[in-house]
Amino acid sequence: MLTLKQITDNTDDVIRRLAKKHFDGKKLIEQVIEINSKRKNTQSVLDANLAELNNISKTIGALMKDGKKDEAEAARAKVADMKEGNKQLEADMKEAEEMLITILCTIPNLPHESVPEGKHAEDNVVEKTGGKMPDLGADALPHWELAKKYDLIDFELGVKITGAGFPVYKGKGARLQRALINFFLDNAREAGYLEIQPPYVVNTASGYGTGQLPDKEGQMYHANLDDLYLIPTAEVPVTNIYRDVILDKKELPIKNTAYSACFRREAGSYGKDVRGLNRLHQFDKVEIVRIDTPEHSYESLTEMVDYVQTLVEKLELPWHILRLCGGDMSFTSAITFDFEVFSAAQKRWLEVSSVSNFESYQANRLKCRYRNEDKKTELCHTLNGSALALPRIVAALLENNQTPEGIRIPKALIPYTGFDIID
RNA sequence: GGUGAGAUGGGUGAGUGGCUGAAACCAACAGUUUGCUAAACUGUCGUACGGGUAACUGUACCGGGGGUUCGAAUCCCCCUUUCACCGCCA
């Protein structure tokens, strides 16, 4: 969520920037300012009352010792009176604080100045393109048919065991998954990321910390009995490592990477877009997460984007990077670059990575801070990105590398798969 | 799952209901001394939200939430969690 300081110091600027996300924040911002000033006034009165109360309480002890019972009784009565009045003030404070958080949670992050205007995915700007488009014949098969032909992935079996969107990988299909995970983790480690193996279920506090709760509750699987959520991405447990933490500036930037299975309910989307591996309820992903200072976070963002580029290049996939427009960006992001790879038989671009800087928006909720040179605590910036999500990479690898002899494995991956062709 | 003992600042750890936002030690930081290092000495050393240009100052917080009391780190209740032993178990 945005900080009160951001809102009170640069009110007009905040409203203007929210408009880029097609969010009309004028009323809410005004409301925040009003409630906040009320909160301050209430606190001033309440603090003064409490100070007096504390003083009187101290004198009661002394009076009792001196045997001045009457005076002590009088003071006691007065205190009882004041406490009644404070109850209302305390309730007001609590209400104001809760209201502020509730409203702040409904206001999205401010887009960075460099975010392009636009409403939909079509308005995203192609930032960079690379790789070679494969030249497939007219009889090229989509990945779900290749998966069947070579017995790599069994979608129907997943339906039997669990339901749609939970595929079963078999043989070289399963080994390809394992190879990609290791390939991504090894690359991340070589790029300086610390490997983390986090829990796949998290509590509600963590859900709030990274902003899945309260609004996106329906997107996570929930274990009712224990009130725990299956993670939709490793970002959730890994970023929550730094919840309620004050870091030393020397530790920044923190660079973590984690593989996890990801679970997404994604209710209500069916059809061609979700065919095969295009959209799943359970999938594998290696995530990179950074915690950084505000001064350095955009440099970190560039490094992360460049790093992801090396991955798609090593996999020899045709790729491009999109700078997302204001309307297509996520609620919590200040700037997002999407990586898409071209899936040649489907003839469509598939999103395989999303690299974002959340600036202090997420850190504010997490209370993730660092101590600056003046020993003052300041909110960190948080960033994360997929590096990479497996299913669509697999889809593109299968489709783009199909030959009459079989499916060729890119050179960089062969040491991990242990085979160079799927036939 | 059962029983018992715990949870205090970055760490260790003290704390008869008022003199405790919290001893002491360690770590850290700044300085003095010193040819360098070390040692010694001096000082600083939790967070949040208010007030104040500032020095400073008010309030809240001793795992979390309630309660008792004029007053709670301290007493009571609930929850979480750690450790030990028992039970179960890959």
Side-chain angles (χ1 to χ4, degrees), chain A residues 84-100:
Chain A
E84 265 319 300
N86 282 352
K87 268 186 192 162
Q88 185 58 46
L89 291 171
E90 271 162 12
D92 289 350
M93 277 290 280
K94 203 172 170 186
E95 196 195 333
E97 275 162 13
E98 280 169 5
M99 279 249 279
L100 278 175

Side-chain angles (χ1 to χ4, degrees), chain A residues 137-158:
Chain A
D139 55 347
L141 297 174
H143 68 270
W144 51 89
E145 287 186 30
L146 291 165
K148 195 172 237 173
K149 179 176 171 186
Y150 295 103
D151 200 19
L152 302 173
I153 306 169
D154 195 328
F155 293 96
E156 287 77 17
L157 189 53

Side-chain angles (χ1 to χ4, degrees), chain A residues 105-150:
Chain A
C105 284
T106 66
I107 301 174
N109 197 2
L110 306 177
H112 187 258
E113 292 298 344
S114 72
V115 168
E117 298 283 349
K119 269 194 169 165
H120 314 289
E122 303 85 68
D123 302 320
N124 295 336
V125 175
V126 177
E127 191 80 5
K128 215 171 172 185
T129 306
K132 218 176 77 189
M133 286 288 184
D135 192 15
L136 300 180
D139 55 347
L141 297 174
H143 68 270
W144 51 89
E145 287 186 30
L146 291 165
K148 195 172 237 173
K149 179 176 171 186
Y150 295 103

Side-chain angles (χ1 to χ4, degrees), chain A residues 249-283:
Chain A
K249 192 174 179 184
K250 279 179 262 173
E251 300 173 75
L252 303 175
I254 283 172
K255 298 164 73 177
N256 287 167
T257 185
Y259 155 76
S260 86
C262 302
F263 303 91
R264 298 191 183 176
R265 294 187 65 234
E266 311 263 16
S269 47
Y270 296 97
K272 177 158 75 71
D273 283 359
V274 305
R275 194 86 196 266
L277 295 170
N278 290 343
R279 191 174 300 173
L280 300 171
H281 287 309
Q282 179 185 321
F283 63 97

